[in-house]
Amino acid sequence: MQLQGKSLLSLKELSNQEIYGLLDRAARVKREKKEGRRNQRLAGYTLAMIFEKLSTRTRSAFESAFGEEGGHPVFLGSNDIHLGKKESIEDTARVFGGMFDILAFRGFAQETAEKLALYSKIPVINALTDDYHPTQVLADLQTMQEEFGKLEGLKLCFVGDGTDNVARSLMIACGKLGMDCSIAAPASFQPDSTVMQEVTPLFGSHANLTVTHDLAKACDGAHVIYTDVWVSMGQEDHAAQKELVLKPYQVNDAVMALSGRKESIFLHCLPAVKEKEVTAAVFEGPQSRVWPEAENRKHTIKAVILALLGLS
Ligand code: CP
Ligand code: NVA
């Protein structure tokens, strides 16, 4: 696996083997952490974290992973720097490229992440944009691997807003790894033709992608039932309309039962709005794996940082 010097902008840039390589590395750093082994692999390294949107898990995962390895993360919120306001993204990127070793970006436009990578010439990690959330999905894959011991051949069903950034990244991952993926969403919140053209070829003939309004069909046989908030960051003006249309797609006990599998699990990238997209009963119930999933954000992010910096 040779990811040194590359950026992680969407997950599309990674091969199947590179994803598995990152998951192996994530399992290793998780083991090290559990065994209390402390390393200083990032001593002398600096990370710039440009965050235009709020974050609990992603910010904490980056800062704690980078800091505990001896590195210095620098958090730069929208109100701290000139990015895109008084100074162009290209100019900020060139300045940061000369000062930092690696950069994480969370924000609105995917184009900003791409410009930062192009002009900084250092590895850039997409920490969530309107379009993608690749580091989230790596943690989801680690959680599924821990649960089922494999990924290929599993079926994941995403329920709710099919236009969601996490849903799009999950489709990419499933296609690349030979997992069946179904999206259960009302017609007005199904992935558009641009997204379908992007993800469909990844499935080839080895796995199926299904987009349907039919919850029973989508959930049938699913090992994983996944949902995300109905109102993503930046969509607050459309909250009432989205909540009304997505209401029938709440993940509740009846929806979990549609999988027909006793061993199926529930995942959610978090933060969750309980009694909206998921009931408290499912969220807190025996099938929920949301806490290991949240913890795995840190291990997978550490694995990505080490790989992009060419460190062991
Ligand atoms: N899942 C996730 O990205 O969480 P935060 O928004 O809290 O970072
Ligand atoms: N779709 C959500 C994910 C949050 C982690 C958002 O973009 O707000």
Side-chain angles (χ1 to χ4, degrees), residues 171-224:
M171 285 189 273
I172 292 169
C174 287
K176 283 186 176 270
L177 299 177
M179 297 170 63
D180 289 337
C181 181
S182 56
I183 305 287
S188 51
F189 287 102
Q190 293 181 355
D192 65 18
S193 58
T194 310
V195 173
M196 290 308 285
Q197 277 167 24
E198 174 189 42
V199 300
T200 306
L202 301 173
F203 285 82
S205 56
H206 56 296
N208 296 311
L209 173 63
T210 311
V211 178
T212 174
H213 68 278
D214 185 338
L215 262 169
K217 185 177 167 201
C219 293
D220 184 38
H223 298 82
V224 179

Side-chain angles (χ1 to χ4, degrees), residues 53 106 128-129 133 136 164-166 228-229 231-233 269-271:
K53 289 179 176 173
R106 165 170 285 217
L128 179 148
T129 59
H133 199 0
Q136 174 65 51
D164 181 272
N165 43 8
V166 176
D228 186 8
V229 287
V231 184
S232 286
M233 290 180 276
C269 55
L270 307 182

Side-chain angles (χ1 to χ4, degrees), residues 7-10 12-13 89-90 93 105 109-122 124 126 129 131-132 168 198:
S7 289
L8 175 60
L9 300 178
S10 73
K12 276 185 292 182
E13 60 276 82
I89 295 155
E90 292 86 334
F105 171 72
Q110 177 68 13
E111 195 190 357
T112 307
E114 284 162 13
K115 274 190 188 168
L116 287 169
L118 185 65
Y119 286 89
S120 71
K121 300 195 187 330
I122 57 173
V124 173
N126 178 349
T129 59
D131 295 344
Y132 303 107
R168 187 165 171 180
E198 174 189 42

